[in-house]
Amino acid sequence: MIRYSCDMCKRELDTGDLRYVVKMGMYAAFDPTDDDEDDDDRDHLQEIQDILERIEDLEDDRIGEDVYKQLRFDLCPECRRKFLQNPLGREVAKAFSFSEN
Ligand SMILES: [Zn+2]
């Protein structure tokens, strides 16, 4: 039987427990250059579209993690709540005093 544990607090989750799956995909964004500004938006989107199509084709083996990375986490309900409050793991206290050092 597959046992799950919360990826944040490491608590073991029983099969009856509510479990949340977080899936994140991160891919490199290609910023348009200053040349040919008029066409850049469309090319930019097309480029991402091409990459995503290639990812689907290749099942991620040949695409480097610096281009595309998919993450998956199991969370207990408590950690789900914490995650939603602070998805990037920023330290909340520092957010209000980032100019001090
Ligand atoms: Zn947890």
Side-chain angles (χ1 to χ4, degrees):
M1 195 171 76
I2 299 172
R3 300 288 300 201
Y4 291 100
S5 59
C6 172
D7 283 317
M8 275 178 77
C9 69
K10 306 300 179 192
R11 181 163 77 84
E12 284 237 337
L13 298 170
D14 293 327
T15 42
D17 284 354
L18 203 49
R19 177 172 59 94
Y20 293 90
V21 176
V22 183
K23 278 187 175 177
M24 288 192 276
M26 186 189 298
Y27 57 87
F30 295 95
D31 292 327
T33 60
D34 289 332
D35 301 328
D36 302 325
E37 249 179 54
D38 288 348
D39 295 330
D40 275 345
D41 279 349
R42 204 189 61 208
D43 289 350
H44 178 56
L45 291 173
Q46 184 61 48
E47 205 165 349
I48 292 174
Q49 187 62 38
D50 288 347
I51 290 171
L52 292 178
E53 280 172 12
R54 263 179 278 156
I55 287 166
E56 284 172 15
D57 287 347
L58 294 175
E59 294 287 335
D60 83 0
D61 272 0
R62 287 157 63 189
I63 300 213
E65 289 194 345
D66 52 341
V67 176
Y68 183 80
K69 173 122 181 106
Q70 188 161 30
L71 303 166
R72 182 189 180 283
F73 304 104
D74 297 308
L75 298 183
C76 68
E78 173 69 10
C79 290
R80 168 194 173 270
R81 196 176 53 78
K82 288 182 193 166
F83 179 84
L84 288 176
Q85 284 174 351
N86 191 8
L88 296 181
R90 289 173 296 198
E91 288 182 48
V92 177
K94 281 185 182 169
F96 297 102
S97 59
F98 56 85
S99 58
E100 297 172 25
N101 235 335

